[in-house]
mmCIF file of all heavy atoms in Angstrom:
data_model
loop_
_atom_site.group_PDB
_atom_site.id
_atom_site.type_symbol
_atom_site.label_atom_id
_atom_site.label_comp_id
_atom_site.label_asym_id
_atom_site.label_seq_id
_atom_site.Cartn_x
_atom_site.Cartn_y
_atom_site.Cartn_z
ATOM 1 N N THR A 1 0.825 -1.218 -0.001
ATOM 2 C CA THR A 1 -0.003 -0.003 0.013
ATOM 3 C C THR A 1 0.862 1.264 0.011
ATOM 4 O O THR A 1 0.379 2.349 0.304
ATOM 5 C CB THR A 1 -0.915 0.012 1.245
ATOM 6 O OG1 THR A 1 -0.110 -0.044 2.428
ATOM 7 C CG2 THR A 1 -1.883 -1.130 1.229
ATOM 8 N N GLY A 2 2.157 1.108 -0.298
ATOM 9 C CA GLY A 2 3.043 2.276 -0.289
ATOM 10 C C GLY A 2 3.526 2.565 1.124
ATOM 11 O O GLY A 2 4.293 1.813 1.662
ATOM 12 N N LYS A 3 3.030 3.625 1.707
ATOM 13 C CA LYS A 3 3.519 4.000 3.032
ATOM 14 C C LYS A 3 2.797 3.250 4.140
ATOM 15 O O LYS A 3 1.635 2.899 3.992
ATOM 16 C CB LYS A 3 3.339 5.514 3.230
ATOM 17 C CG LYS A 3 4.133 6.330 2.231
ATOM 18 C CD LYS A 3 4.370 7.749 2.698
ATOM 19 C CE LYS A 3 5.311 8.463 1.757
ATOM 20 N NZ LYS A 3 5.630 9.842 2.198
ATOM 21 N N GLN A 4 3.565 3.047 5.232
ATOM 22 C CA GLN A 4 2.980 2.293 6.370
ATOM 23 C C GLN A 4 2.335 3.241 7.388
ATOM 24 O O GLN A 4 2.703 4.398 7.478
ATOM 25 C CB GLN A 4 4.101 1.533 7.085
ATOM 26 C CG GLN A 4 4.877 0.599 6.226
ATOM 27 C CD GLN A 4 6.216 0.232 6.861
ATOM 28 O OE1 GLN A 4 7.150 -0.059 6.157
ATOM 29 N NE2 GLN A 4 6.295 0.257 8.185
ATOM 30 N N GLU A 5 1.412 2.665 8.150
ATOM 31 C CA GLU A 5 0.812 3.395 9.245
ATOM 32 C C GLU A 5 1.635 3.246 10.520
ATOM 33 O O GLU A 5 1.832 4.172 11.281
ATOM 34 C CB GLU A 5 -0.630 2.913 9.475
ATOM 35 C CG GLU A 5 -1.338 3.695 10.589
ATOM 36 C CD GLU A 5 -2.734 3.173 10.849
ATOM 37 O OE1 GLU A 5 -3.240 2.342 10.037
ATOM 38 O OE2 GLU A 5 -3.325 3.557 11.870
ATOM 39 N N HIS A 6 2.142 2.001 10.726
ATOM 40 C CA HIS A 6 2.919 1.706 11.920
ATOM 41 C C HIS A 6 4.395 1.439 11.543
ATOM 42 O O HIS A 6 4.710 1.093 10.419
ATOM 43 C CB HIS A 6 2.374 0.467 12.608
ATOM 44 C CG HIS A 6 0.911 0.550 12.920
ATOM 45 N ND1 HIS A 6 0.371 1.448 13.802
ATOM 46 C CD2 HIS A 6 -0.151 -0.164 12.437
ATOM 47 C CE1 HIS A 6 -0.916 1.314 13.864
ATOM 48 N NE2 HIS A 6 -1.285 0.330 13.031
ATOM 49 N N LYS A 7 5.271 1.589 12.527
ATOM 50 C CA LYS A 7 6.685 1.273 12.271
ATOM 51 C C LYS A 7 6.872 -0.236 12.306
ATOM 52 O O LYS A 7 6.151 -0.973 13.012
ATOM 53 C CB LYS A 7 7.603 1.964 13.253
ATOM 54 C CG LYS A 7 7.552 1.459 14.688
ATOM 55 C CD LYS A 7 8.658 2.150 15.498
ATOM 56 C CE LYS A 7 8.763 1.511 16.877
ATOM 57 N NZ LYS A 7 9.910 2.011 17.617
ATOM 58 N N ALA A 8 7.807 -0.721 11.515
ATOM 59 C CA ALA A 8 8.106 -2.147 11.469
ATOM 60 C C ALA A 8 9.619 -2.307 11.383
ATOM 61 O O ALA A 8 10.329 -1.418 10.943
ATOM 62 C CB ALA A 8 7.426 -2.810 10.280
ATOM 63 N N GLN A 9 10.098 -3.504 11.799
ATOM 64 C CA GLN A 9 11.560 -3.716 11.878
ATOM 65 C C GLN A 9 12.071 -4.561 10.723
ATOM 66 O O GLN A 9 11.427 -5.568 10.343
ATOM 67 C CB GLN A 9 11.908 -4.420 13.211
ATOM 68 C CG GLN A 9 11.640 -3.641 14.439
ATOM 69 C CD GLN A 9 10.157 -3.497 14.712
ATOM 70 O OE1 GLN A 9 9.382 -4.425 14.460
ATOM 71 N NE2 GLN A 9 9.739 -2.343 15.165
ATOM 72 N N ALA A 10 13.200 -4.182 10.187
ATOM 73 C CA ALA A 10 13.944 -5.047 9.273
ATOM 74 C C ALA A 10 14.969 -5.784 10.057
ATOM 75 O O ALA A 10 15.571 -5.257 11.011
ATOM 76 C CB ALA A 10 14.618 -4.213 8.179
ATOM 77 N N ALA A 11 15.226 -7.046 9.711
ATOM 78 C CA ALA A 11 16.166 -7.875 10.466
ATOM 79 C C ALA A 11 16.955 -8.758 9.547
ATOM 80 O O ALA A 11 16.444 -9.194 8.487
ATOM 81 C CB ALA A 11 15.418 -8.722 11.507
ATOM 82 N N PHE A 12 18.188 -9.058 9.918
ATOM 83 C CA PHE A 12 18.963 -10.130 9.266
ATOM 84 C C PHE A 12 18.550 -11.440 9.905
ATOM 85 O O PHE A 12 18.139 -11.504 11.075
ATOM 86 C CB PHE A 12 20.451 -9.960 9.541
ATOM 87 C CG PHE A 12 21.113 -8.814 8.826
ATOM 88 C CD1 PHE A 12 21.606 -7.736 9.522
ATOM 89 C CD2 PHE A 12 21.254 -8.821 7.449
ATOM 90 C CE1 PHE A 12 22.246 -6.677 8.891
ATOM 91 C CE2 PHE A 12 21.860 -7.771 6.763
ATOM 92 C CZ PHE A 12 22.363 -6.686 7.502
ATOM 93 N N ASN A 13 18.632 -12.543 9.135
ATOM 94 C CA ASN A 13 18.542 -13.848 9.784
ATOM 95 C C ASN A 13 19.867 -14.117 10.477
ATOM 96 O O ASN A 13 20.793 -13.290 10.443
ATOM 97 C CB ASN A 13 18.194 -14.929 8.753
ATOM 98 C CG ASN A 13 19.390 -15.310 7.893
ATOM 99 O OD1 ASN A 13 20.181 -14.444 7.527
ATOM 100 N ND2 ASN A 13 19.531 -16.586 7.532
ATOM 101 N N HIS A 14 19.996 -15.277 11.142
ATOM 102 C CA HIS A 14 21.191 -15.498 11.988
ATOM 103 C C HIS A 14 22.469 -15.585 11.218
ATOM 104 O O HIS A 14 23.543 -15.293 11.800
ATOM 105 C CB HIS A 14 20.980 -16.761 12.864
ATOM 106 C CG HIS A 14 20.722 -17.989 12.074
ATOM 107 N ND1 HIS A 14 19.660 -18.120 11.199
ATOM 108 C CD2 HIS A 14 21.379 -19.202 12.003
ATOM 109 C CE1 HIS A 14 19.665 -19.315 10.664
ATOM 110 N NE2 HIS A 14 20.693 -19.978 11.114
ATOM 111 N N THR A 15 22.434 -15.966 9.934
ATOM 112 C CA THR A 15 23.674 -16.056 9.140
ATOM 113 C C THR A 15 23.919 -14.805 8.278
ATOM 114 O O THR A 15 24.922 -14.716 7.582
ATOM 115 C CB THR A 15 23.615 -17.258 8.184
ATOM 116 O OG1 THR A 15 22.476 -17.122 7.312
ATOM 117 C CG2 THR A 15 23.471 -18.574 8.982
ATOM 118 N N GLU A 16 22.949 -13.881 8.319
ATOM 119 C CA GLU A 16 22.999 -12.657 7.509
ATOM 120 C C GLU A 16 22.910 -12.930 5.989
ATOM 121 O O GLU A 16 23.256 -12.107 5.171
ATOM 122 C CB GLU A 16 24.227 -11.808 7.819
ATOM 123 C CG GLU A 16 24.277 -11.310 9.240
ATOM 124 C CD GLU A 16 25.418 -10.377 9.554
ATOM 125 O OE1 GLU A 16 26.390 -10.290 8.769
ATOM 126 O OE2 GLU A 16 25.352 -9.695 10.590
ATOM 127 N N ASP A 17 22.367 -14.122 5.642
ATOM 128 C CA ASP A 17 22.138 -14.433 4.247
ATOM 129 C C ASP A 17 20.856 -13.758 3.750
ATOM 130 O O ASP A 17 20.704 -13.536 2.553
ATOM 131 C CB ASP A 17 22.009 -15.936 4.040
ATOM 132 C CG ASP A 17 23.341 -16.669 4.171
ATOM 133 O OD1 ASP A 17 24.367 -16.037 3.871
ATOM 134 O OD2 ASP A 17 23.327 -17.848 4.597
ATOM 135 N N TYR A 18 19.943 -13.474 4.661
ATOM 136 C CA TYR A 18 18.642 -12.906 4.248
ATOM 137 C C TYR A 18 18.298 -11.662 5.049
ATOM 138 O O TYR A 18 18.749 -11.501 6.214
ATOM 139 C CB TYR A 18 17.535 -13.953 4.470
ATOM 140 C CG TYR A 18 17.702 -15.203 3.657
ATOM 141 C CD1 TYR A 18 18.125 -16.394 4.259
ATOM 142 C CD2 TYR A 18 17.490 -15.194 2.284
ATOM 143 C CE1 TYR A 18 18.298 -17.557 3.474
ATOM 144 C CE2 TYR A 18 17.652 -16.347 1.498
ATOM 145 C CZ TYR A 18 18.058 -17.508 2.109
ATOM 146 O OH TYR A 18 18.258 -18.638 1.376
ATOM 147 N N VAL A 19 17.510 -10.808 4.426
ATOM 148 C CA VAL A 19 16.915 -9.645 5.093
ATOM 149 C C VAL A 19 15.408 -9.858 5.165
ATOM 150 O O VAL A 19 14.786 -10.239 4.158
ATOM 151 C CB VAL A 19 17.235 -8.352 4.310
ATOM 152 C CG1 VAL A 19 16.430 -7.166 4.813
ATOM 153 C CG2 VAL A 19 18.736 -8.038 4.405
ATOM 154 N N MET A 20 14.833 -9.602 6.314
ATOM 155 C CA MET A 20 13.397 -9.867 6.530
ATOM 156 C C MET A 20 12.680 -8.570 6.941
ATOM 157 O O MET A 20 13.239 -7.758 7.666
ATOM 158 C CB MET A 20 13.255 -10.916 7.645
ATOM 159 C CG MET A 20 13.974 -12.180 7.365
ATOM 160 S SD MET A 20 14.374 -13.133 8.895
ATOM 161 C CE MET A 20 12.776 -13.282 9.627
ATOM 162 N N PHE A 21 11.437 -8.449 6.501
ATOM 163 C CA PHE A 21 10.648 -7.250 6.775
ATOM 164 C C PHE A 21 9.170 -7.557 6.613
ATOM 165 O O PHE A 21 8.757 -8.118 5.580
ATOM 166 C CB PHE A 21 11.050 -6.121 5.823
ATOM 167 C CG PHE A 21 10.400 -4.794 6.103
ATOM 168 C CD1 PHE A 21 10.723 -4.045 7.250
ATOM 169 C CD2 PHE A 21 9.459 -4.282 5.232
ATOM 170 C CE1 PHE A 21 10.138 -2.803 7.489
ATOM 171 C CE2 PHE A 21 8.885 -3.037 5.468
ATOM 172 C CZ PHE A 21 9.210 -2.308 6.601
ATOM 173 N N PRO A 22 8.330 -7.282 7.618
ATOM 174 C CA PRO A 22 6.902 -7.611 7.487
ATOM 175 C C PRO A 22 6.129 -6.585 6.652
ATOM 176 O O PRO A 22 6.326 -5.395 6.815
ATOM 177 C CB PRO A 22 6.413 -7.617 8.945
ATOM 178 C CG PRO A 22 7.319 -6.662 9.646
ATOM 179 C CD PRO A 22 8.652 -6.733 8.972
ATOM 180 N N ASP A 23 5.242 -7.072 5.791
ATOM 181 C CA ASP A 23 4.364 -6.201 5.038
ATOM 182 C C ASP A 23 3.107 -5.928 5.892
ATOM 183 O O ASP A 23 2.415 -6.870 6.292
ATOM 184 C CB ASP A 23 3.978 -6.842 3.719
ATOM 185 C CG ASP A 23 3.043 -5.940 2.885
ATOM 186 O OD1 ASP A 23 1.831 -5.962 3.149
ATOM 187 O OD2 ASP A 23 3.546 -5.181 2.030
ATOM 188 N N GLU A 24 2.862 -4.674 6.175
ATOM 189 C CA GLU A 24 1.785 -4.308 7.110
ATOM 190 C C GLU A 24 0.390 -4.696 6.629
ATOM 191 O O GLU A 24 -0.415 -5.235 7.362
ATOM 192 C CB GLU A 24 1.862 -2.814 7.363
ATOM 193 C CG GLU A 24 0.847 -2.311 8.398
ATOM 194 C CD GLU A 24 1.052 -0.803 8.655
ATOM 195 O OE1 GLU A 24 1.943 -0.462 9.415
ATOM 196 O OE2 GLU A 24 0.299 0.010 8.074
ATOM 197 N N ALA A 25 0.131 -4.465 5.354
ATOM 198 C CA ALA A 25 -1.227 -4.637 4.815
ATOM 199 C C ALA A 25 -1.600 -6.124 4.712
ATOM 200 O O ALA A 25 -2.762 -6.489 4.994
ATOM 201 C CB ALA A 25 -1.358 -3.972 3.453
ATOM 202 N N THR A 26 -0.633 -6.969 4.339
ATOM 203 C CA THR A 26 -0.951 -8.398 4.108
ATOM 204 C C THR A 26 -0.560 -9.277 5.278
ATOM 205 O O THR A 26 -0.812 -10.478 5.247
ATOM 206 C CB THR A 26 -0.253 -8.883 2.841
ATOM 207 O OG1 THR A 26 1.181 -8.749 3.022
ATOM 208 C CG2 THR A 26 -0.644 -8.050 1.629
ATOM 209 N N THR A 27 0.075 -8.719 6.304
ATOM 210 C CA THR A 27 0.647 -9.463 7.435
ATOM 211 C C THR A 27 1.422 -10.688 6.953
ATOM 212 O O THR A 27 1.299 -11.790 7.441
ATOM 213 C CB THR A 27 -0.418 -9.922 8.463
ATOM 214 O OG1 THR A 27 -1.403 -10.752 7.835
ATOM 215 C CG2 THR A 27 -1.112 -8.729 9.103
ATOM 216 N N SER A 28 2.240 -10.455 5.910
ATOM 217 C CA SER A 28 3.138 -11.512 5.428
ATOM 218 C C SER A 28 4.570 -10.996 5.573
ATOM 219 O O SER A 28 4.819 -9.802 5.713
ATOM 220 C CB SER A 28 2.820 -11.844 3.963
ATOM 221 O OG SER A 28 2.969 -10.685 3.168
ATOM 222 N N LEU A 29 5.498 -11.959 5.539
ATOM 223 C CA LEU A 29 6.906 -11.626 5.694
ATOM 224 C C LEU A 29 7.590 -11.551 4.338
ATOM 225 O O LEU A 29 7.580 -12.517 3.567
ATOM 226 C CB LEU A 29 7.593 -12.679 6.545
ATOM 227 C CG LEU A 29 9.072 -12.386 6.864
ATOM 228 C CD1 LEU A 29 9.201 -11.257 7.875
ATOM 229 C CD2 LEU A 29 9.791 -13.631 7.372
ATOM 230 N N CYS A 30 8.161 -10.382 4.030
ATOM 231 C CA CYS A 30 8.975 -10.248 2.814
ATOM 232 C C CYS A 30 10.398 -10.638 3.154
ATOM 233 O O CYS A 30 10.891 -10.386 4.257
ATOM 234 C CB CYS A 30 8.921 -8.803 2.297
ATOM 235 S SG CYS A 30 7.281 -8.303 1.799
ATOM 236 N N CYS A 31 11.061 -11.204 2.196
ATOM 237 C CA CYS A 31 12.437 -11.662 2.392
ATOM 238 C C CYS A 31 13.256 -11.452 1.132
ATOM 239 O O CYS A 31 12.763 -11.621 0.024
ATOM 240 C CB CYS A 31 12.409 -13.119 2.797
ATOM 241 S SG CYS A 31 14.023 -13.798 3.186
ATOM 242 N N TRP A 32 14.530 -11.078 1.318
ATOM 243 C CA TRP A 32 15.438 -10.871 0.183
ATOM 244 C C TRP A 32 16.807 -11.547 0.473
ATOM 245 O O TRP A 32 17.180 -11.686 1.645
ATOM 246 C CB TRP A 32 15.732 -9.371 -0.020
ATOM 247 C CG TRP A 32 14.562 -8.509 -0.289
ATOM 248 C CD1 TRP A 32 14.102 -8.105 -1.525
ATOM 249 C CD2 TRP A 32 13.739 -7.856 0.684
ATOM 250 N NE1 TRP A 32 12.992 -7.274 -1.362
ATOM 251 C CE2 TRP A 32 12.762 -7.105 -0.049
ATOM 252 C CE3 TRP A 32 13.689 -7.834 2.066
ATOM 253 C CZ2 TRP A 32 11.804 -6.330 0.588
ATOM 254 C CZ3 TRP A 32 12.729 -7.068 2.707
ATOM 255 C CH2 TRP A 32 11.798 -6.335 1.971
ATOM 256 N N ASN A 33 17.489 -11.902 -0.586
ATOM 257 C CA ASN A 33 18.888 -12.265 -0.450
ATOM 258 C C ASN A 33 19.641 -10.992 -0.040
ATOM 259 O O ASN A 33 19.520 -9.972 -0.716
ATOM 260 C CB ASN A 33 19.416 -12.808 -1.784
ATOM 261 C CG ASN A 33 20.874 -13.198 -1.725
ATOM 262 O OD1 ASN A 33 21.741 -12.352 -1.451
ATOM 263 N ND2 ASN A 33 21.178 -14.409 -2.057
ATOM 264 N N SER A 34 20.365 -11.033 1.039
ATOM 265 C CA SER A 34 20.992 -9.816 1.567
ATOM 266 C C SER A 34 22.037 -9.216 0.658
ATOM 267 O O SER A 34 22.274 -8.003 0.662
ATOM 268 C CB SER A 34 21.607 -10.077 2.931
ATOM 269 O OG SER A 34 22.659 -11.023 2.818
ATOM 270 N N ARG A 35 22.647 -10.082 -0.213
ATOM 271 C CA ARG A 35 23.775 -9.602 -1.034
ATOM 272 C C ARG A 35 23.352 -9.022 -2.367
ATOM 273 O O ARG A 35 23.969 -8.126 -2.902
ATOM 274 C CB ARG A 35 24.758 -10.750 -1.255
ATOM 275 C CG ARG A 35 25.424 -11.217 0.031
ATOM 276 C CD ARG A 35 26.265 -12.417 -0.156
ATOM 277 N NE ARG A 35 26.939 -12.786 1.132
ATOM 278 C CZ ARG A 35 26.398 -13.529 2.056
ATOM 279 N NH1 ARG A 35 25.177 -14.025 1.875
ATOM 280 N NH2 ARG A 35 27.029 -13.799 3.178
ATOM 281 N N ASN A 36 22.267 -9.555 -2.940
ATOM 282 C CA ASN A 36 21.851 -9.067 -4.286
ATOM 283 C C ASN A 36 20.424 -8.578 -4.342
ATOM 284 O O ASN A 36 19.924 -8.216 -5.391
ATOM 285 C CB ASN A 36 22.087 -10.156 -5.341
ATOM 286 C CG ASN A 36 21.296 -11.448 -5.014
ATOM 287 O OD1 ASN A 36 20.214 -11.394 -4.426
ATOM 288 N ND2 ASN A 36 21.852 -12.590 -5.422
ATOM 289 N N ALA A 37 19.717 -8.570 -3.208
ATOM 290 C CA ALA A 37 18.370 -8.023 -3.073
ATOM 291 C C ALA A 37 17.312 -8.771 -3.907
ATOM 292 O O ALA A 37 16.252 -8.235 -4.168
ATOM 293 C CB ALA A 37 18.351 -6.539 -3.448
ATOM 294 N N SER A 38 17.601 -10.006 -4.275
ATOM 295 C CA SER A 38 16.612 -10.808 -5.020
ATOM 296 C C SER A 38 15.478 -11.203 -4.048
ATOM 297 O O SER A 38 15.750 -11.623 -2.928
ATOM 298 C CB SER A 38 17.222 -12.034 -5.664
ATOM 299 O OG SER A 38 17.792 -12.877 -4.697
ATOM 300 N N ARG A 39 14.229 -11.041 -4.503
ATOM 301 C CA ARG A 39 13.066 -11.341 -3.667
ATOM 302 C C ARG A 39 12.912 -12.855 -3.485
ATOM 303 O O ARG A 39 13.036 -13.611 -4.441
ATOM 304 C CB ARG A 39 11.770 -10.779 -4.331
ATOM 305 C CG ARG A 39 11.619 -9.260 -4.196
ATOM 306 C CD ARG A 39 11.173 -8.874 -2.775
ATOM 307 N NE ARG A 39 9.955 -9.476 -2.325
ATOM 308 C CZ ARG A 39 8.745 -9.002 -2.609
ATOM 309 N NH1 ARG A 39 8.606 -7.911 -3.316
ATOM 310 N NH2 ARG A 39 7.673 -9.609 -2.156
ATOM 311 N N LYS A 40 12.562 -13.246 -2.289
ATOM 312 C CA LYS A 40 12.296 -14.647 -1.981
ATOM 313 C C LYS A 40 10.823 -14.818 -1.725
ATOM 314 O O LYS A 40 10.048 -13.880 -1.736
ATOM 315 C CB LYS A 40 13.149 -15.072 -0.743
ATOM 316 C CG LYS A 40 14.651 -14.956 -0.973
ATOM 317 C CD LYS A 40 15.107 -15.846 -2.098
ATOM 318 C CE LYS A 40 16.560 -15.667 -2.412
ATOM 319 N NZ LYS A 40 16.992 -16.495 -3.554
ATOM 320 N N GLN A 41 10.460 -16.072 -1.419
ATOM 321 C CA GLN A 41 9.045 -16.391 -1.241
ATOM 322 C C GLN A 41 8.485 -15.722 -0.012
ATOM 323 O O GLN A 41 9.137 -15.605 1.023
ATOM 324 C CB GLN A 41 8.899 -17.939 -1.105
ATOM 325 C CG GLN A 41 7.483 -18.421 -1.112
ATOM 326 C CD GLN A 41 7.426 -19.935 -1.044
ATOM 327 O OE1 GLN A 41 8.416 -20.605 -1.309
ATOM 328 N NE2 GLN A 41 6.285 -20.480 -0.671
ATOM 329 N N LEU A 42 7.208 -15.260 -0.129
ATOM 330 C CA LEU A 42 6.516 -14.649 1.020
ATOM 331 C C LEU A 42 6.112 -15.722 1.999
ATOM 332 O O LEU A 42 5.886 -16.883 1.654
ATOM 333 C CB LEU A 42 5.274 -13.912 0.530
ATOM 334 C CG LEU A 42 5.457 -12.627 -0.250
ATOM 335 C CD1 LEU A 42 4.106 -12.162 -0.824
ATOM 336 C CD2 LEU A 42 6.060 -11.545 0.621
ATOM 337 N N LEU A 43 6.049 -15.300 3.284
ATOM 338 C CA LEU A 43 5.574 -16.193 4.326
ATOM 339 C C LEU A 43 4.363 -15.527 5.011
ATOM 340 O O LEU A 43 4.484 -14.424 5.538
ATOM 341 C CB LEU A 43 6.667 -16.449 5.373
ATOM 342 C CG LEU A 43 6.268 -17.196 6.648
ATOM 343 C CD1 LEU A 43 5.854 -18.629 6.308
ATOM 344 C CD2 LEU A 43 7.390 -17.197 7.675
ATOM 345 N N SER A 44 3.228 -16.179 5.019
ATOM 346 C CA SER A 44 2.060 -15.638 5.717
ATOM 347 C C SER A 44 2.291 -15.816 7.224
ATOM 348 O O SER A 44 2.543 -16.916 7.706
ATOM 349 C CB SER A 44 0.807 -16.417 5.315
ATOM 350 O OG SER A 44 -0.305 -15.935 6.090
#
């Protein structure tokens, strides 16, 4: 939805291979490869 209403946290996984961030509107988890920013599968 573009801009968020609430603040949310971005986090590395424990090996720093991935970057994680929750999508506010869909309550799903977005994930990327930390090195090349390629999108990974969403997690509800």
Side-chain angles (χ1 to χ4, degrees):
T1 58
K3 298 201 173 183
Q4 302 162 209
E5 183 182 349
H6 307 294
K7 70 172 188 173
Q9 296 70 37
F12 289 114
N13 75 323
H14 58 302
T15 61
E16 297 185 345
D17 288 330
Y18 299 106
V19 169
M20 303 156 55
F21 184 70
D23 180 276
E24 184 176 280
T26 61
T27 61
S28 58
L29 184 73
C30 297
C31 182
W32 300 266
N33 179 301
S34 63
R35 296 174 177 86
N36 58 31
S38 60
R39 284 285 302 275
K40 299 299 176 182
Q41 189 178 341
L42 289 171
L43 172 66
S44 175

